[in-house]
């Protein structure tokens, strides 16, 4: 599993002050991240109706974030930091077959290591081609860092589209 993010936003706010003066406020925030989750699994159940696997692996997070604030052309705050985290994870993955082509993918893992804890879950619907499958699902990924100087918590959530290869 591989996630890449590059998120940026800019803020511009001019405030009218007494005496026809204008206070110009500018800001920007930027965050880049890579999350890589290699896993291996062992099938504990495999039938026409469903396949259930117990999985184990690692989750790697690299995160770079920056925040800049400028008031009337004077930089007031300009900080950035980056860091990484390695966590061991365990979990389960299942495909519930609705028919020969359509299935329901379900995934959950939990782990710890450099972070205090991390967990991820998703569920959705998928369609099987010959050796390829397409998935539309909703994912929630959570990190609790506790002692990190950069972040306390990180939550990523929302719909995703994925492609899988079967061999």
């Amino acid at each position: 599993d591989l996630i890449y993010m590059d998120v940026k936003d800019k803020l511009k706010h001019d405030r009218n002050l007494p005496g026809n003066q204008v206070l110009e406020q500018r800001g920007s925030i930027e965050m880049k991240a890579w999350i890589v989750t290699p896993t291996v699994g062992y099938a504990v159940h495999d039938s026409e109706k469903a396949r259930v696997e117990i999985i184990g692996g690692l989750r790697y997070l690299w995160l770079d974030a920056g925040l800049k604030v400028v008031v009337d052309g004077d930089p007031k705050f300009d900080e950035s930091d980056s860091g990484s985290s390695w966590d061991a994870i365990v979990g389960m993955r299942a495909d519930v077959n609705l028919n020969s082509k359509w299935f329901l993918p379900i995934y959950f893992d939990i782990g710890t290591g450099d972070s205090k804890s991390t967990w991820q879950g998703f569920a959705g619907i998928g369609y099987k081609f010959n050796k390829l499958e397409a998935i539309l699902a909703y994912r929630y990924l959570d990190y609790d860092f506790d002692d990190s100087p950069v972040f306390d918590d990180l939550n990523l959530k929302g719909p995703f589209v994925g492609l899988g290869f079967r061999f």
Side-chain angles (χ1 to χ4, degrees):
D1 188 28
L2 177 67
I3 300 172
Y4 173 72
M5 294 183 300
D6 188 352
V7 181
K8 300 175 188 174
D9 197 11
K10 292 185 178 184
L11 168 72
K12 177 183 174 184
H13 183 73
D14 295 337
R15 184 175 302 256
N16 293 324
L17 300 175
N20 291 328
Q21 293 182 348
V22 176
L23 179 66
E24 295 179 352
Q25 301 171 3
R26 307 286 183 266
S28 63
I29 187 168
E30 182 174 347
M31 183 176 82
K32 293 182 181 180
W34 281 97
I35 303 171
V36 182
T37 309
T39 61
V40 294
Y42 177 77
V44 294
H45 175 78
D46 194 4
S47 70
E48 278 189 36
K49 292 287 184 189
R51 178 180 173 93
V52 179
E53 298 176 4
I54 301 299
I55 62 158
L58 298 171
R59 178 168 297 124
Y60 172 73
L61 166 69
W62 173 82
L63 188 61
D64 181 48
L67 176 64
K68 184 176 186 177
V69 177
V70 177
V71 178
D72 279 341
D74 184 21
K76 297 294 184 186
F77 187 85
D78 188 359
E79 292 288 328
S80 65
D81 203 351
S82 65
S84 63
S85 172
W86 281 98
D87 294 289
I89 59 166
V90 295
M92 65 76 84
R93 172 176 41 226
D95 287 340
V96 178
N97 296 317
L98 302 174
N99 58 37
S100 64
K101 295 290 185 181
W102 292 95
F103 66 99
L104 302 175
I106 302 165
Y107 179 94
F108 178 80
D109 70 40
I110 189 167
T112 190
D114 289 340
S115 71
K116 181 179 174 185
S117 67
T118 181
W119 69 271
Q120 173 180 219
F122 74 74
I125 189 157
Y127 185 82
K128 296 176 188 175
F129 300 94
N130 289 333
K131 295 283 183 186
L132 181 71
E133 62 188 29
I135 298 171
L136 176 62
Y138 187 88
R139 176 194 311 240
Y140 191 96
L141 173 59
D142 182 81
Y143 275 94
D144 182 2
F145 294 104
D146 204 29
D147 295 330
S148 170
V150 182
F151 287 101
D152 185 39
D153 295 310
L154 177 65
N155 312 101
L156 306 172
K157 56 188 173 234
F160 78 91
V161 175
L163 292 175
F165 300 96
R166 292 187 177 269
F167 53 92

